[in-house]
mmCIF file of all heavy atoms in Angstrom:
data_model
loop_
_atom_site.group_PDB
_atom_site.id
_atom_site.type_symbol
_atom_site.label_atom_id
_atom_site.label_comp_id
_atom_site.label_asym_id
_atom_site.label_seq_id
_atom_site.Cartn_x
_atom_site.Cartn_y
_atom_site.Cartn_z
ATOM 1 N N THR M 242 -4.702 -117.268 179.943
ATOM 2 C CA THR M 242 -4.016 -116.222 179.179
ATOM 3 C C THR M 242 -4.334 -116.392 177.688
ATOM 4 O O THR M 242 -4.105 -117.478 177.140
ATOM 5 C CB THR M 242 -2.498 -116.354 179.382
ATOM 6 O OG1 THR M 242 -2.225 -116.318 180.784
ATOM 7 C CG2 THR M 242 -1.749 -115.237 178.670
ATOM 8 N N PRO M 243 -4.829 -115.348 177.042
ATOM 9 C CA PRO M 243 -5.019 -115.448 175.589
ATOM 10 C C PRO M 243 -3.686 -115.767 174.906
ATOM 11 O O PRO M 243 -2.625 -115.353 175.406
ATOM 12 C CB PRO M 243 -5.496 -114.059 175.178
ATOM 13 C CG PRO M 243 -5.892 -113.366 176.446
ATOM 14 C CD PRO M 243 -5.136 -114.012 177.562
ATOM 15 N N LEU M 244 -3.731 -116.459 173.783
ATOM 16 C CA LEU M 244 -2.494 -116.860 173.096
ATOM 17 C C LEU M 244 -1.557 -115.679 172.908
ATOM 18 O O LEU M 244 -0.339 -115.782 173.089
ATOM 19 C CB LEU M 244 -2.809 -117.463 171.713
ATOM 20 C CG LEU M 244 -3.554 -118.816 171.710
ATOM 21 C CD1 LEU M 244 -3.739 -119.285 170.279
ATOM 22 C CD2 LEU M 244 -2.802 -119.865 172.519
ATOM 23 N N GLU M 245 -2.124 -114.523 172.558
ATOM 24 C CA GLU M 245 -1.271 -113.368 172.230
ATOM 25 C C GLU M 245 -0.526 -112.831 173.448
ATOM 26 O O GLU M 245 0.419 -112.054 173.309
ATOM 27 C CB GLU M 245 -2.106 -112.256 171.582
ATOM 28 C CG GLU M 245 -3.155 -111.712 172.536
ATOM 29 C CD GLU M 245 -3.863 -110.487 171.980
ATOM 30 O OE1 GLU M 245 -4.006 -110.408 170.765
ATOM 31 O OE2 GLU M 245 -4.246 -109.626 172.784
ATOM 32 N N ASN M 246 -0.943 -113.211 174.634
ATOM 33 C CA ASN M 246 -0.261 -112.723 175.827
ATOM 34 C C ASN M 246 0.676 -113.762 176.454
ATOM 35 O O ASN M 246 1.210 -113.554 177.553
ATOM 36 C CB ASN M 246 -1.281 -112.272 176.889
ATOM 37 C CG ASN M 246 -2.029 -111.029 176.485
ATOM 38 O OD1 ASN M 246 -3.235 -110.946 176.634
ATOM 39 N ND2 ASN M 246 -1.315 -110.056 175.934
ATOM 40 N N GLN M 247 0.857 -114.879 175.784
ATOM 41 C CA GLN M 247 1.748 -115.907 176.326
ATOM 42 C C GLN M 247 3.202 -115.566 175.935
ATOM 43 O O GLN M 247 3.469 -115.297 174.776
ATOM 44 C CB GLN M 247 1.330 -117.289 175.781
ATOM 45 C CG GLN M 247 -0.122 -117.598 176.212
ATOM 46 C CD GLN M 247 -0.623 -118.950 175.757
ATOM 47 O OE1 GLN M 247 0.085 -119.712 175.124
ATOM 48 N NE2 GLN M 247 -1.873 -119.248 176.107
ATOM 49 N N VAL M 372 -3.169 -125.729 172.640
ATOM 50 C CA VAL M 372 -3.197 -124.741 173.724
ATOM 51 C C VAL M 372 -4.412 -123.846 173.503
ATOM 52 O O VAL M 372 -4.614 -123.326 172.391
ATOM 53 C CB VAL M 372 -1.907 -123.886 173.743
ATOM 54 C CG1 VAL M 372 -1.983 -122.821 174.831
ATOM 55 C CG2 VAL M 372 -0.678 -124.759 173.967
ATOM 56 N N ASN M 373 -5.211 -123.702 174.520
ATOM 57 C CA ASN M 373 -6.457 -122.926 174.429
ATOM 58 C C ASN M 373 -7.299 -123.379 173.220
ATOM 59 O O ASN M 373 -7.855 -122.548 172.501
ATOM 60 C CB ASN M 373 -6.184 -121.421 174.331
ATOM 61 C CG ASN M 373 -5.579 -120.858 175.596
ATOM 62 O OD1 ASN M 373 -5.333 -121.579 176.547
ATOM 63 N ND2 ASN M 373 -5.339 -119.556 175.624
ATOM 64 N N GLN M 375 -6.400 -124.504 170.407
ATOM 65 C CA GLN M 375 -5.811 -124.289 169.077
ATOM 66 C C GLN M 375 -4.542 -125.121 168.968
ATOM 67 O O GLN M 375 -3.844 -125.321 169.969
ATOM 68 C CB GLN M 375 -5.417 -122.817 168.911
ATOM 69 C CG GLN M 375 -6.521 -121.882 169.268
ATOM 70 C CD GLN M 375 -6.834 -120.926 168.149
ATOM 71 O OE1 GLN M 375 -6.304 -121.038 167.053
ATOM 72 N NE2 GLN M 375 -7.711 -119.980 168.426
ATOM 73 N N ARG M 378 1.356 -123.779 168.698
ATOM 74 C CA ARG M 378 2.004 -122.944 167.675
ATOM 75 C C ARG M 378 3.477 -123.304 167.554
ATOM 76 O O ARG M 378 4.082 -123.777 168.521
ATOM 77 C CB ARG M 378 1.867 -121.466 168.047
ATOM 78 C CG ARG M 378 0.441 -120.946 167.973
ATOM 79 C CD ARG M 378 0.320 -119.579 168.564
ATOM 80 N NE ARG M 378 0.622 -119.591 169.986
ATOM 81 C CZ ARG M 378 0.887 -118.501 170.694
ATOM 82 N NH1 ARG M 378 0.914 -117.324 170.116
ATOM 83 N NH2 ARG M 378 1.136 -118.599 171.994
#
Side-chain angles (χ1 to χ4, degrees):
T242 305
L244 293 182
E245 63 172 32
N246 291 135
Q247 300 181 1
V372 177
N373 293 2
Q375 310 235 7
R378 292 170 296 164

